[in-house]
């Protein structure tokens, strides 16, 4: 669907995509070496309804699986998506 890049820092980072000049992101912070806290998903109104938030969440789940980390979802969007995607329960607490 779209290119999603990850900006990863020592204490946290974000997954980000730019579509038609609009930036959407999902931010996180680190909790030790084994957990990420996803705290915000921001999708501009111009991109709503296009599956951008879900694409960010799917990338987050894929990265967490690849790295063997668990995710604590503080973000309401991610919490809602986790309920819709029980197959993510191996990653999202």
């Amino acid at each position: 669907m779209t290119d999603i890049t990850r900006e990863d820092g020592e204490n946290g980072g974000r997954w980000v995509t730019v579509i038609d000049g609009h930036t959407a992101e999902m931010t996180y912070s680190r909790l030790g070496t084994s957990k990420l806290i996803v705290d915000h998903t921001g999708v501009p109104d111009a991109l709503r309804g296009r599956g951008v938030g879900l694409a960010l969440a799917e990338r987050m789940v894929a990265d967490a699986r690849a790295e063997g980390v668990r995710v604590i979802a503080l973000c309401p969007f991610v919490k809602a998506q986790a309920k819709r995607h029980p197959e993510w329960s191996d990653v999202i607490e």
Side-chain angles (χ1 to χ4, degrees):
M1 173 190 158
T2 182
D3 278 340
I4 296 173
T5 57
R6 183 174 177 184
E7 298 170 358
D8 192 33
E10 187 176 331
N11 297 318
R14 69 182 186 156
W15 291 273
V16 62
T17 186
V18 179
I19 301 170
D20 300 334
H22 302 283
T23 301
E25 69 176 1
M26 179 176 288
T27 60
Y28 65 93
S29 56
R30 293 189 177 283
L31 183 60
T33 58
S34 63
K35 292 188 181 180
L36 299 178
I37 300 170
V38 175
D39 52 18
H40 173 73
T41 302
V43 177
D45 288 341
L47 300 179
R48 292 202 190 274
R50 293 172 59 177
V52 176
L54 179 58
L56 290 167
E58 289 171 339
R59 171 66 188 272
M60 175 269 298
V61 169
D63 285 358
R65 282 185 179 136
E67 295 166 21
V69 298
R70 301 276 295 162
V71 173
I72 298 169
L74 295 183
C75 169
F77 175 78
V78 174
K79 280 184 180 181
Q81 289 299 316
K83 287 181 181 174
R84 291 188 188 112
H85 297 275
E87 69 274 16
W88 294 355
S89 65
D90 62 314
V91 171
I92 299 179
E93 296 185 354

